[in-house]
């Protein structure tokens, strides 16, 4: 018989708000919910998440809640602890380490405040572990998601030897050299946290190998991960892409683009996505190819993210300055080269994915990069995907995309030109093959891999 399982992630499937003192709920944001949501909705799976808003905190007081088809428990972690654990450690330390985002001449600075934040990260993980210990049915499986929840497994294992714990990482995993920037104490604690989860999963073999290397180098033990790439749910994403809201956004986008070609990108406004170099490459493309002036538009649907991290604010300002310069340099009375919107608007993102001729996905390093798979599923123009080898998705899509080198702007510009110039027959073959590959892997299989990893522990 299938064992019950508990899911835990920082961001939950439902977000609560207070409207005139009344608690209302709506579906939470984020990729995890869109992938896993349909699989656990209307089941008895419990999903434990941090209370991220005032409404979430109110909901936390009620313990387990049924909302939007989910059984959720939000945790009202001390607000200062949450801020330090989420922003200083998860977002500004672990995220940077795993994605290689530090400019080492300046950061990180591991000072007394950082150590305070580390202590908060421990307490945050303890709060999750305690809730899981309470909620998990006998012999349940516990699925911990992502870098926010690395220290919970040892506590759960101590208190509940009957459950099996699996940790799944949605980011890349840092190389040995990248991990060296962490203080030894934190690095060891992290690696022991992963190891305490009986199984550690990753989207790509490279990240799993990095994890094994870290265990060997820093703990002197053989830590082995499993590889299970997540893919979008084809039916769900197509239904969303054809909703009336997306149709309306597409009509509006078509007003802007007209019969020009479209390069697009759609993702979080995030350093690891390498947004600035993407626009610089477009600038070079326009410099190289006067024939494209007035014939191409670059649409960017960027979802503002982690705006309490100062680097993100600076990055956004620099990126917007770059966009303005490019539009000023090349734009004419009836052509704006870059159409940029920074808002949390899934419908506009879907419109861009339906309409692109070339989709730019050029991350510095990225766990999966789901958009590289979502795009081909909903695209209506046999669009070409320009993909960085540093995206986890590369492992599955190589051969069906054009490679872009994340640091080589000139190469990226040339790759974009190649995509726009590709002959229709080749485009249509490539697009059809991409759809086949993407459709061959569903979120259900991804979830099953985690459950199977837990069952193997038992066996
Ligand atoms: C990445 C992480 C997720 C995270 C998401 C959104 O995909 O792997 O854990 O939830 O980004 O980031 P946020 O900080 O807004 O939750």
């Amino acid at each position: 018989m299938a064992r019950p399982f508990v899911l835990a992630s920082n961001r939950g499937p439902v977000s609560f708000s207070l409207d005139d003192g009344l608690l209302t709920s709506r579906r939470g944001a984020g990729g995890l919910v869109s992938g896993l949501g349909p699989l656990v909705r209307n089941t008895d799976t419990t999903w434990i998440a941090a209370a991220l808003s005032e409404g979430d905190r109110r909901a936390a007081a009620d313990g387990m809640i049924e909302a939007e088809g989910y059984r959720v428990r939000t945790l009202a972690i001390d607000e200062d602890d949450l801020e330090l654990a989420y922003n200083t450690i998860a977002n500004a330390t672990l995220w940077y380490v795993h994605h290689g985002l530090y400019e080492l001449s300046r950061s990180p600075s591991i000072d007394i405040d950082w150590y305070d934040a580390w202590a908060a990260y421990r307490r945050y993980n303890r709060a999750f572990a305690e809730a899981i210990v309470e909620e998990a049915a006998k012999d349940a499986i516990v699925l911990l998601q992502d870098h926010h929840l690395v220290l919970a497994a040892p506590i759960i294992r101590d208190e509940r030897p009957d459950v099996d714990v699996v940790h799944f990482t949605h980011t890349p995993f840092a190389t040995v050299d990248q991990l060296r920037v962490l203080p030894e104490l934190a690095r060891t604690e992290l690696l022991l946290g992963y190891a305490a989860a009986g199984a550690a999963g990753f989207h790509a073999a490279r990240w799993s190998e990095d994890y094994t290397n870290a265990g060997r180098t820093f703990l002197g033990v053989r830590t082995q991960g499993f590889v299970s790439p997540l893919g979008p749910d084809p039916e769900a994403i197509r239904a969303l892409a054809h909703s009336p809201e997306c149709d309306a956004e597409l009509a509006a986008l078509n007003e802007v683009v007209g019969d020009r070609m479209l390069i697009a990108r759609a993702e979080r406004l995030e350093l690891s996505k390498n947004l600035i170099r993407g626009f610089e490459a477009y600038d070079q493309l326009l410099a190289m190819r006067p024939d494209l002036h007035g014939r191409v538009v670059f649409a960017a649907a960027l979802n503002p993210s982690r705006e309490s991290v100062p680097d993100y604010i600076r990055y956004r300002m620099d990126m917007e300055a770059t966009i303005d310069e490019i539009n000023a340099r090349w734009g004419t009375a009836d052509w704006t080269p870059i159409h940029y919107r920074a808002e949390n608007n899934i419908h506009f993102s879907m419109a861009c994915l339906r309409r692109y001729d070339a989709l730019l996905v050029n991350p510095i390093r990225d766990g999966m990069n789901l958009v590289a798979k979502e795009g081909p599923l909903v695209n209506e123009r046999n669009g070409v995907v320009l993909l960085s080898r540093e995206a986890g998705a590369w492992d599955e899509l190589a051969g069906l995309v054009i490679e872009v080198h994340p640091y080589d702007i000139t190469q990226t510009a040339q790759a974009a030109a190649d995509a726009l110039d590709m002959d229709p027959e080749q485009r249509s073959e490539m697009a059809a093959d991409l759809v086949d590959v993407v459709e061959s892997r569903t979120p259900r299989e991804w979830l099953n891999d985690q459950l199977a990893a837990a069952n193997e522990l038992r066996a």
Side-chain angles (χ1 to χ4, degrees):
M1 214 192 75
R3 294 163 66 189
F5 64 94
V6 178
L7 262 166
S9 62
N10 175 63
R11 198 174 281 284
V14 179
S15 115
F16 296 93
S17 45
L18 281 171
D19 294 331
D20 288 335
L22 223 78
L23 200 59
T24 56
S25 63
R26 66 191 157 80
R27 205 193 88 164
L32 197 59
V33 187
S34 53
L36 270 185
L39 303 176
V40 301
R41 253 183 115 209
N42 304 319
T43 68
D44 54 12
T45 295
T46 299
W47 195 323
I48 297 175
L52 299 177
S53 65
E54 206 32 55
D56 288 358
R57 302 185 84 77
R58 259 286 297 282
D62 296 342
M64 183 67 64
I65 294 193
E66 310 248 346
E68 307 294 310
Y70 296 99
R71 281 170 56 83
V72 278
R73 176 162 165 199
T74 54
L75 304 178
I77 293 163
D78 174 86
E79 281 187 69
D80 292 335
D81 277 2
L82 177 66
E83 149 70 24
L84 294 170
Y86 175 65
N87 275 322
T88 307
I89 302 299
N91 291 346
T93 303
L94 301 179
W95 185 266
Y96 274 56
V97 170
H98 289 310
H99 290 86
L101 293 178
Y102 281 128
E103 287 179 48
L104 289 177
S105 58
R106 293 180 180 278
S107 63
S109 290
I110 309 288
D111 56 9
I112 193 78
D113 292 340
W114 187 91
Y115 279 98
D116 285 346
W118 185 255
Y121 180 71
R122 282 194 189 123
R123 291 191 291 272
Y124 165 102
N125 270 268
R126 176 165 289 281
F128 268 85
E130 283 169 358
I132 291 166
V133 163
E134 274 171 33
E135 300 294 346
K138 183 158 168 29
D139 293 326
I141 294 171
V142 177
L143 304 181
L144 301 175
Q145 301 296 308
D146 235 346
H147 57 294
H148 312 90
L149 293 175
V150 182
L151 305 185
I155 305 169
I156 302 168
R157 291 281 297 269
D158 271 356
E159 313 241 335
R160 289 289 303 273
D162 61 304
V163 305
D164 288 311
V165 184
V166 175
H167 186 279
F168 197 93
T169 298
H170 293 268
T171 64
F173 197 85
T175 62
V176 161
D177 281 340
Q178 286 167 336
L179 276 173
R180 283 190 211 282
V181 305
L182 290 177
E184 191 179 337
L185 158 147
R187 188 173 62 219
T188 307
E189 212 171 327
L190 277 176
L191 292 172
L192 289 174
Y194 282 102
F202 301 89
H203 287 304
R206 286 170 281 163
W207 318 142
S208 177
E209 282 156 20
D210 285 331
Y211 169 63
T212 305
N213 290 339
R216 192 176 43 234
T217 307
F218 298 117
L219 299 181
V221 300
R222 181 163 171 75
T223 48
Q224 202 176 349
F226 67 96
V227 180
S228 176
L230 176 61
D233 179 337
E235 232 173 88
I237 189 134
R238 286 184 177 129
L240 170 64
H242 288 93
S243 63
E245 293 89 341
C246 292
D247 286 344
E249 286 291 354
L250 181 59
L253 180 64
N254 276 330
E255 291 281 307
V256 174
V257 181
D259 61 2
R260 299 180 181 98
M261 289 183 285
L262 181 69
I263 300 175
R265 68 183 314 149
E267 52 218 327
R268 285 190 304 114
L269 209 165
E270 154 72 57
L271 281 60
S272 62
K273 309 290 184 196
N274 205 17
L275 304 164
I276 295 179
R277 287 196 193 86
F279 291 118
E280 288 171 347
Y282 181 60
D283 188 37
Q284 277 214 14
L285 173 70
L286 296 176
M288 272 160 39
R289 290 283 298 267
D291 62 302
L292 288 175
H293 293 194
R295 287 190 47 229
V296 61
V297 171
F298 189 153
L302 300 179
N303 184 356
S305 181
R306 304 185 188 163
E307 290 174 293
S308 333
V309 181
D311 271 2
Y312 280 61
I313 309 286
R314 278 193 292 272
Y315 190 79
R316 176 172 177 170
M317 284 165 56
D318 291 348
M319 182 192 73
E320 289 178 349
T322 305
I323 293 173
D324 290 346
E325 268 169 41
I326 296 170
N327 278 340
R329 178 151 46 247
W330 307 109
T332 59
D334 55 6
W335 172 54
T336 305
I338 301 175
H339 179 58
Y340 153 73
R341 276 164 68 181
E343 57 194 34
N344 186 351
N345 183 343
I346 185 77
H347 305 120
F348 177 57
S349 298
M350 286 295 142
C352 290
L353 295 185
R354 281 174 65 180
R355 176 64 177 77
Y356 70 78
D357 297 286
L359 177 68
L360 181 59
V361 187
N362 63 325
I364 288 170
R365 194 172 159 90
D366 203 316
M368 169 47 77
N369 238 300
L370 217 47
V371 69
K373 296 178 168 183
E374 292 168 339
L377 287 179
V378 301
N379 184 257
E380 294 167 5
R381 294 172 65 89
N382 292 331
V384 177
V385 176
L386 297 160
L387 185 63
S388 155
R389 188 182 274 275
E390 305 306 323
W394 174 265
D395 294 11
E396 293 162 275
L397 307 184
L400 303 173
V401 295
I402 296 185
E403 178 177 355
V404 289
H405 186 298
Y407 306 104
D408 188 341
I409 290 164
T410 304
Q411 185 276 342
T412 304
Q414 186 56 52
D418 293 347
L420 298 179
D421 293 343
M422 193 183 280
D423 77 79
E425 209 172 308
Q426 196 188 351
R427 289 171 71 94
S428 107
E429 266 175 39
M430 219 168 164
D433 289 349
L434 260 180
V435 169
D436 285 347
V437 169
V438 174
E439 279 182 340
S440 68
R441 174 94 193 154
T442 62
R444 164 69 62 194
E445 289 164 283
W446 176 72
L447 174 62
N448 285 349
D449 284 348
Q450 290 177 72
L451 300 175
N455 288 329
E456 268 173 42
L457 294 172
R458 178 98 352 163

